[in-house]
């Protein structure tokens, strides 16, 4: 049976009596470590669409059905909001006055929005020059205190871990266990929508928190009898930042997908355990393959995600011959394409006619009419 998301226990009755989405903590409260005294800080995150992508399904072939979980439609434009509503609510409950994170951009935007909404200071440490413009703009406008470090994400994370252990600032990177608790709700939504778990879940992997969170969600729903299987977890990393594929820390990670430009994932062991218990696999894809999938999603499916997110689709296309015939596949699109306008403009293959005279004749000529 196919259930629609609106049938999930999740959809609460708003006080007006209308069916308004209450945010994921209210929607999945029985599955989350919150109590009546937890102050819920929410921007009504979650309940993102699962969208069929027929062009990609056709490219995979053999009757495989493909959906994308478009988590770029969360309030700050990425899946991080799922983890942040939990982490910030729990930080508030514990009386925190300030939070801190290292970030390739999305965590910083999300931490800033939720922390400020909760009346806390947000300190975010980013790799100088390697954060997409939209993400930096968000962190600044939401009111984070942004520190650009002369180093990469892995170095920023080391500093942040020391800061959080020595000073009164709460860590909101995914090493904070509440982050994964919130993020696991994406797996719940996938099962609520499909009526079962997919055969494969394709997901970009950077610091490896999200793959671990999805697995937690699928396992929890499986134990509750909400699905009768768990998916193979297929993790994809950019070739220049693929420690989980090679088994070795990358000291100078490089990729156009700056969100996953990470060489020493914090949840390394967790992710390996997920891969093993789910009989999944880690595979790397090149920047060229990422950009190809990024353009394909936008130009053929009407879905604009950021480059790191397109890694899940690039990965699926790369290993398509390994997908069982007739399988159901969900690719996670972690962030919104608007986050990174520079990459979009630089790597669009489409025509952009500039300097046209403002006359009908000139326009008709360019249109070839
Ligand atoms: N996709 C996007 C758009 C991301 O921003 C990230 C991580 C990932 C995928 C990978 O998820 O780390 O849980 O394996 N971004 C972090 C950040 C590192 O700081 O925003 P992961």
């Amino acid at each position: 049976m196919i259930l629609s998301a609106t049938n999930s226990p999740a959809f609460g009755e708003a006080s007006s009596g209308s069916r308004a989405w209450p945010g994921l903590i209210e929607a999945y409260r029985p599955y989350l470590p919150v109590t009546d005294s937890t102050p819920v800080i929410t921007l009504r995150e979650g309940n993102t669409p699962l969208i069929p992508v027929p062009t990609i399904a056709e490219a995979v072939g053999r009757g495989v059905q493909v959906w994308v979980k478009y988590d770029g439609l969360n309030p700050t434009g990425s899946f991080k909001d799922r983890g942040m509503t939990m982490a910030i609510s729990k930080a508030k409950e514990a009386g925190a006055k300030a939070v801190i994170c290292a970030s390739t951009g999305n965590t910083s935007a999300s931490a800033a929005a939720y922390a400020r909404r909760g009346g806390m200071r947000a300190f975010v440490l980013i790799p100088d020059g390697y954060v997409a413009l939209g993400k930096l703009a968000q962190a600044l406008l939401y009111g984070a205190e942004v520190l650009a470090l002369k180093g990469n994400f892995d170095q920023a994370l080391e500093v942040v871990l020391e800061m959080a252990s020595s000073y009164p600032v709460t860590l909101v990177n995914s090493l904070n266990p509440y982050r994964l608790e919130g993020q696991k709700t994406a797996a719940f939504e996938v099962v609520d929508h499909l009526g079962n778990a997919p055969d494969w879940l394709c997901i970009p992997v950077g610091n490896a928190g999200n793959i671990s969170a999805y697995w937690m969600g699928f396992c929890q729903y499986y134990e509750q009898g909400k699905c009768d299987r768990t998916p193979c977890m297929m993790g994809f990393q950019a070739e220049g930042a693929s420690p989980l594929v090679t088994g070795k820390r990358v000291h100078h990670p490089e990729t156009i997908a700056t969100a996953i430009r990470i060489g020493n994932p914090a949840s390394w062991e967790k992710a390996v355990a997920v891969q093993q218990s789910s009989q999944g696999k880690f595979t790397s894809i090149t920047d060229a393959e990422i950009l190809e999938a990024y353009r394909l999603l936008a130009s053929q499916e009407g879905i604009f995600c950021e480059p790191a997110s397109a890694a899940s689709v690039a990965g699926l296309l790369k290993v398509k011959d390994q997908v069982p015939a007739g399988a159901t596949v969900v690719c996670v699109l972690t962030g919104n394409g608007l986050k990174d306008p520079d990459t979009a403009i630089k790597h669009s293959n489409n025509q952009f006619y500039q300097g046209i005279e403002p006359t009908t004749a000139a326009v008709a000529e360019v249109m070839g009419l």
Side-chain angles (χ1 to χ4, degrees), residues 79-80 102-107 153 204-210 259-260 262 306 308-309 334-335:
F79 72 98
K80 305 286 180 180
S103 181
T104 57
N106 282 324
T107 300
F153 170 84
V205 178
N207 216 19
N210 211 26
I260 51 171
I262 295 175
E306 62 174 288
S309 307
T334 45

Side-chain angles (χ1 to χ4, degrees), residues 62 112 136 163 224 312 337:
R62 292 174 298 115
L136 181 59
M163 291 299 300
Q224 298 286 323
S312 62

